[in-house]
């Protein structure tokens, strides 16, 4: 059952070939037997999932099922879940139980998707390897000595190992696409404002965006239909008519113009990754697409600009964790200052502290213009680069990450090297564009991710471009040994 896509599971449920209770039991059993070596789940909500599955079956019997009713899924532990703990990968929130559901969680509940549990992640979504999690690292199911990517590493590993048909992720600088690439699955980061951020614990609010992670583009389209939509509780949510993200899946690629940014194919790109991407480009040519080079001349500034903007916003967002209202509180504080400093000092991990310090510095009086304002100006230049490229092409294609999954511990002592694993993804967040990663082959037995970037609100086309490739390849069907 677990080798089926969501589209197939949905059809099986509709035909009565299986029930949601059976499906849910199957995936819960897989989590129980297979997640020990992966650590992809922080919390498993078996009892609740089975009750939701039963309700989904009843609903189907009444003839009231939606497309995904009864298909189980998992939530990244950054989304607040009513009555179920939400840790955000941090000691700070280890015992935090939200009194409400995030909009995304509410939407999956309304569709009738049983929630199997909450997936592991880098602390407060800061990281590219899932090694900053308070709950310990997640292992990549393709090679358990390697990282799954981050920050949505638990979601990516769980989907790759088919412990769940799908999981949510969030992408501030690449956290859906990079782990999807390293684990050989499909992930979509929608246009900024498509998916509500309400109840999604904030890291860098002008960049954070939730999205789906699953085996295929078709599945991501079905999930995006559930996840996205206007939410008055999120002030940056975009009010647009409801859209069916599956609408363009079968559109032929003849006359599609694909742009290859020359900056994404230069120094620093692993040869094995480059080879797989070149083969995928060839495949797109065969499908009828026209391929040409484009320039994103300011993309080299994306990592430095991001590492000013993201820490600045995080230093402000994370100020709320003060040991007073909720979250971790130190033992026996001597006074208020001691309560603040020790609660934060003991509750946050090293990477989070590094970001808070960098961000506080960048925002301090006298430095604001030199750092934050400058970074915002670069952000504009980067968005303009994309706007120019989209005058010439319909989608932009390149690698998702410069290398395949690296070894656990390989980059933990060198934050800059770690930061560079998002070199091709970050510009997309700075511009607020939609992007996705799809499996495009292997290099030395490890999955390679292909990135597709679209213009604002062009997710349906992007998903179609991905789906057409998946109709003629089977990389997205591969399941790591030991998890088949
Ligand atoms: N890896 C990047 C960072 O550490 C992006 C994380 C994300 O997208 N949440 O900030």
């Amino acid at each position: 059952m677990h080798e089926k896509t969501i589209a197939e599971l949905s059809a099986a449920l509709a035909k009565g070939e299986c029930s949601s209770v059976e499906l849910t039991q199957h995936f819960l059993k897989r989590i129980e037997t297979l997640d020990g070596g992966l650590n992809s789940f922080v919390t498993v909500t078996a009892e609740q999932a089975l009750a939701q599955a039963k309700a989904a079956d009843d609903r189907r019997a009444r003839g009231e099922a939606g497309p995904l009713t009864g298909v189980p899924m998992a939530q990244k532990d950054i989304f607040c879940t009513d009555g179920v703990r939400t840790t955000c990968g941090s000691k700070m929130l280890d015992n935090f139980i939200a009194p409400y559901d995030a909009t995304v969680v509410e939407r999956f509940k309304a569709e009738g998707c049983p929630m199997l549990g909450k997936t592991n992640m880098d602390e407060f979504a800061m990281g590219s390897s899932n090694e900053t999690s308070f709950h310990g690292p997640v292992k990549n199911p393709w090679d358990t000595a390697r990282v799954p990517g981050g920050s949505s590493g638990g979601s990516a590993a769980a989907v790759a190992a088919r412990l769940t048909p799908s999981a949510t992720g969030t992408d501030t600088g690449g956290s859906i696409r990079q782990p999807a690439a390293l684990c050989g699955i499909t992930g979509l980061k929608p246009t900024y404002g498509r998916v509500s951020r309400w109840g999604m614990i904030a890291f860098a609010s002008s960049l954070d965006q939730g999205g789906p992670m699953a085996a295929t583009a078709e599945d991501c389209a079905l999930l995006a239909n559930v996840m996205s939509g206007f939410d008055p509780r999120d002030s940056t949510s975009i009010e647009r008519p409801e859209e069916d993200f599956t609408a363009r899946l079968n559109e032929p690629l003849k006359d599609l113009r694909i742009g290859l940014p020359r900056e994404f194919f230069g120094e620093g790109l692993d040869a094995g990754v480059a080879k797989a991407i070149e083969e995928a480009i060839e495949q797109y040519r065969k499908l009828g697409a026209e391929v040409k080079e484009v320039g994103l001349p300011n993309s080299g500034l994306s990592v430095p600009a991001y590492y000013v903007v993201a820490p600045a916003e995080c230093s402000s967002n994370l100020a709320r964790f003060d040991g007073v209202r909720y979250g971790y509180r130190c033992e026996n504080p001597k006074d208020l200052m001691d309560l603040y400093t020790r609660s934060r000092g003991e509750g946050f991990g090293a990477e989070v502290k590094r970001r808070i310090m960098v961000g506080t510095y960048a925002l301090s009086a006298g430095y604001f213009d030199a750092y934050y304002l400058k970074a915002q100006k670069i952000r504009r230049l980067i968005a303009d680069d994309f706007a120019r490229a989209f005058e010439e092409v319909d989608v932009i294609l390149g690698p998702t990450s410069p290398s395949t999954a690296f070894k656990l511990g390989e980059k933990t002592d060198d934050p800059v090297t770690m930061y560079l694993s998002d070199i091709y993804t970050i510009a997309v967040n700075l511009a607020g564009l939609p992007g996705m990663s799809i499996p495009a082959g292997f290099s030395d037995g490890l999955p390679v991710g292909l990135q597709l970037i679209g213009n604002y609100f062009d997710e349906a086309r992007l998903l179609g471009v991905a789906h057409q490739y998946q109709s003629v390849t089977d990389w997205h069907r591969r399941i790591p040994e030991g998890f088949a």
Side-chain angles (χ1 to χ4, degrees), residues 186 217-218 245-259 280 283-284 287 289 394-397 436 438 450-454 458-473:
T186 304
E218 182 180 24
F245 293 102
T246 66
R248 299 178 72 174
L249 289 179
N250 295 318
E251 200 171 282
L253 300 191
K254 199 176 141 323
D255 303 329
L256 179 83
R257 298 168 305 164
I258 295 180
Q283 193 60 255
Y284 271 110
L287 286 165
D394 305 308
V395 299
I396 291 173
L397 181 156
M436 59 187 301
I438 59 174
L450 171 85
Q451 183 175 210
L452 295 166
I453 303 166
D458 219 5
E459 288 88 351
R461 162 145 55 189
L462 213 52
L463 289 157
V465 172
H467 180 71
Q468 289 303 306
Y469 176 78
Q470 293 185 335
S471 308
V472 294
T473 55

Side-chain angles (χ1 to χ4, degrees), residues 103 107 193-196 224 226-231 237-238 242:
T103 299
R107 284 178 161 270
R194 274 280 201 201
V195 170
S196 171
V226 175
M227 281 180 91
S228 48
F230 177 63
D231 180 4
S237 172
I238 282 166
E242 290 281 312

Side-chain angles (χ1 to χ4, degrees), residues 92-93 317-330 333 335-345 348:
M92 183 58 90
L93 290 177
N317 273 325
L318 271 59
R320 73 190 70 175
F321 303 105
D322 56 6
V324 177
R325 285 161 293 187
Y326 48 78
Y328 177 80
R329 179 180 296 174
C330 67
D335 53 28
L336 187 63
M337 210 34 128
D338 188 43
L339 168 81
Y340 287 154
T341 50
R342 275 205 295 124
S343 297
R344 289 169 67 79
F348 289 137

